[in-house]
Amino acid sequence: MTIAPIAAIILAAGKGTRMKSSRHKVLHPVGGRPMVEHVMATLDTLNPARRVVVVGSERDQVEAQIGDRATFVVQEPQHGTGHAVQQAAPALADFAGDAAVLYGDVPLITADTLRRMIDARTHADLVVLGFRAADPAAYGRLKLSADGGLEAIVEFKDASPEERRINLCNSGIMVLSAKLLFDLLAHVKNDNAKGEYYLTDIVGLARARGLKAAVVETDESEVIGVNSRAELAQAEAIFQARARAAAMADGATLIAPETVYFSFDTKLGRDVVVEPNVVFGPGVSVGDNVVIHAFCHLEGASIAEGASVGPFARLRPGAELRKKAKVGNFVEVKKAVLEEGAKVNHLTYIGDARVGAGANVGAGTITCNYDGFFKYKTDIGAGAFIGSNTALVAPVTIGEGAIVGAGSTITKDVEADALVVTRSEQREIKDWAAKFRARSKAKKDGKK
Ligand code: UD1
Ligand code: MG
């Protein structure tokens, strides 16, 4: 079977008024990535020859996001989905393959489903993606003919009571020859309940020409459209459910999957254990046999095999934990490498730093990396031991195997294998406390 080259047409002209946002609707993130980028990423796997994005309201925002990865055409004003797709005609005038109509606010469509639609094109001139809606509400209804083919799409507002009882609904996603698409669109009229040019009318027009239309069905969760914050949250929930299922299918244990939040690019190795209430922001990769204890927030971090994180740890962008490194509770790590087996177990901030292999950083250690203007680096050598409650005032280097006494403020480099302490020497005054108490008590009693 030879597959025609594909031109993707992504509609993103709608205002998204119901989002009540100054951000364009298709730029709101799901799983940490703008919705329209989900569509772009799904398209990557199909390797389309062209991508045309139909923009209108706030077009500069969409154009800035996508840049030179697509051709932009403007729909202004907006007279319906058919009118929107028609704007792509000049950009695709020389295009001989199939057009796939997609939507910037329908982010969860999968490549598998699009492939099924492309396959269905071998026996139909026009393929529409449909779904069985739990509540068909205002969706367009797909009317099938006796042979199971698609006869027409009827918009809710134009549908008869009988047609409204159909629960097979139109997702809006279609695949057909680009030439046929624009030819049919030229004949679409706006004499309907909304006074708009409906893309959906091309099905009836194609059937009138004796062409064949087919429906590919998919699950409703895949074609949810986002028009409001509530629908955005629904799309997020569907994304998270998929990500959790995929993580477990790939060999990670999630003790309470519904409490773990993933990003679009989270990577987990095998035999990773993720305890409850963990949030993966964008850019996290986790090697095999890592344990992420409860209540951690990770973003832009890479964690190598056998490492352990948390509970209650925060890994910020640039945190790199090498093999068997350990980050414990109430520890924040930013732009820092913890080399193999390094341990930072309690109540510590490590930023702009290297912690050498096997080094041990005691409780309450702070790398003082910022002077209010610039950031500076702390370098801790392999096998060094940093006593509790140490302030490391960067830039500063602690040599390999050096020991820093607890409670020190280190402002100068420390040689390998040295002991450094900066606190004042301990003094002890015999019986001072007992005398102080006796004196004070007498004073207080005398006043009564
Ligand atoms: C459309 C379909 C309907 C389907 C539903 C699925 C038509 C006529 N109807 O209805 O059958 O069940 O989607 O959600 O196609 N857009 C533009 N320019 C326009 C109008 C819309 O770019 O002039 C974009 C919107 O931004 C949105 C998409 O097209 O991304 C769908 O538009 P919308 O107005 O939501 O269509 P529906 O009436 O919901
Ligand atoms: Mg809609």
Side-chain angles (χ1 to χ4, degrees):
M1 183 178 79
T2 51
I3 292 175
I6 301 285
I9 302 171
I10 304 174
L11 302 198
K15 258 199 172 61
T17 320
R18 283 197 280 148
M19 293 298 282
K20 306 220 171 86
S21 178
S22 50
R23 184 187 292 202
H24 193 288
K25 177 167 66 169
V26 302
L27 302 182
H28 280 262
V30 168
R33 168 164 74 175
M35 286 194 273
V36 70
E37 292 291 1
H38 282 266
V39 179
M40 291 291 278
T42 300
L43 283 170
D44 285 344
T45 66
L46 298 176
N47 204 16
R50 306 272 187 94
R51 297 176 198 225
V52 180
V53 180
V54 183
V55 289
S57 314
E58 315 287 353
R59 51 186 271 216
D60 47 318
Q61 292 187 24
V62 182
E63 292 180 12
Q65 174 67 39
I66 293 180
D68 61 7
R69 291 175 294 149
T71 306
F72 296 95
V73 297
V74 181
Q75 185 203 20
E76 198 63 82
Q78 282 129 38
H79 291 311
T81 50
H83 178 249
V85 173
Q86 214 169 10
Q87 308 312 307
L92 295 174
D94 61 337
F95 183 73
D98 272 8
V101 179
L102 298 158
Y103 301 82
D105 58 2
V106 182
L108 300 177
I109 179 77
T110 64
D112 273 358
T113 296
L114 291 177
R115 262 186 226 108
R116 283 198 293 131
M117 293 180 74
I118 291 164
D119 288 349
R121 273 278 290 124
T122 53
H123 58 82
D125 298 291
L126 189 164
V127 178
V128 171
L129 184 62
F131 62 99
R132 302 277 169 185
D135 171 17
Y139 287 117
R141 306 299 207 262
L142 300 184
K143 289 182 75 174
L144 302 184
S145 51
D147 64 0
L150 178 61
E151 197 57 43
I153 305 179
V154 189
E155 287 307 295
F156 177 76
K157 281 201 172 168
D158 302 283
S160 65
E162 196 184 324
E163 287 166 336
R164 287 182 181 185
R165 277 197 289 274
I166 299 172
N167 77 339
L168 183 59
C169 295
N170 174 33
S171 73
I173 296 170
M174 299 188 182
V175 178
L176 70 161
S177 131
K179 283 218 155 25
L180 177 65
L181 169 66
F182 297 121
D183 179 0
L184 293 171
L185 279 174
H187 295 90
V188 169
K189 300 196 177 64
N190 67 348
D191 53 350
N192 50 48
K194 278 190 168 176
E196 287 187 352
Y197 297 89
Y198 293 163
L199 172 63
T200 45
D201 280 356
I202 68 170
V203 174
L205 293 171
R207 292 292 297 129
R209 291 187 189 186
L211 298 173
K212 206 178 156 201
V215 179
V216 163
E217 280 192 45
T218 191
D219 192 80
E220 186 171 3
S221 65
E222 209 179 307
V223 291
I224 179 178
V226 174
N227 299 294
S228 63
R229 306 277 180 166
E231 286 169 353
L232 182 66
Q234 269 176 35
E236 183 70 40
I238 294 165
F239 171 87
Q240 293 298 341
R242 270 192 203 172
R244 291 163 189 151
M248 292 188 282
D250 289 345
T253 292
L254 310 184
I255 292 171
E258 66 286 359
T259 68
V260 177
Y261 289 82
F262 291 104
S263 279
F264 69 99
D265 60 351
T266 308
K267 288 187 189 67
L268 299 186
R270 280 170 82 92
D271 292 312
V272 167
V273 175
V274 183
E275 291 185 357
N277 297 299
V278 172
V279 176
F280 292 93
V284 177
S285 72
V286 178
D288 296 345
N289 297 306
V290 166
V291 181
I292 315 279
H293 294 284
F295 298 101
C296 289
H297 190 282
L298 309 97
E299 146 185 48
S302 76
I303 303 165
E305 203 181 325
S308 146
V309 179
F312 297 101
R314 176 160 184 222
L315 301 187
R316 290 171 52 205
E320 185 186 335
L321 275 53
R322 304 254 168 94
K323 281 186 187 172
K324 297 196 171 165
K326 223 177 145 217
V327 166
N329 39 232
F330 305 106
V331 171
E332 173 180 345
V333 180
K334 182 219 75 168
K335 210 174 168 194
V337 181
L338 269 58
E339 293 183 345
E340 189 164 345
K343 287 189 208 154
V344 184
N345 278 340
H346 332 265
L347 302 159
T348 289
Y349 173 62
I350 298 290
D352 301 297
R354 175 187 77 101
V355 180
N360 189 322
V361 176
T365 297
I366 308 287
T367 55
C368 310
N369 60 329
Y370 187 48
D371 62 5
F373 295 91
F374 300 102
K375 303 260 169 85
Y376 300 96
K377 198 182 164 189
T378 298
D379 191 273
I380 298 172
F385 182 95
I386 313 297
S388 296
N389 196 30
T390 292
L392 298 164
V393 183
V396 72
T397 295
I398 309 297
E400 281 188 16
I403 294 179
V404 178
S408 292
T409 297
I410 305 298
T411 54
K412 291 181 232 149
D413 290 355
V414 176
E415 268 183 32
D417 294 321
L419 166 70
V420 63
V421 239
T422 66
R423 58 178 186 252
S424 58
E425 221 161 288
Q426 186 162 320
R427 276 175 75 202
E428 183 169 326
I429 303 170
K430 194 172 161 51
D431 291 335
W432 189 95
K435 286 177 191 163
F436 168 77
R437 272 194 299 272
R439 220 167 41 238
S440 301
K441 189 169 183 294
K443 202 169 163 187
K444 201 171 184 183
D445 290 349
K447 273 193 180 162
K448 270 186 186 161

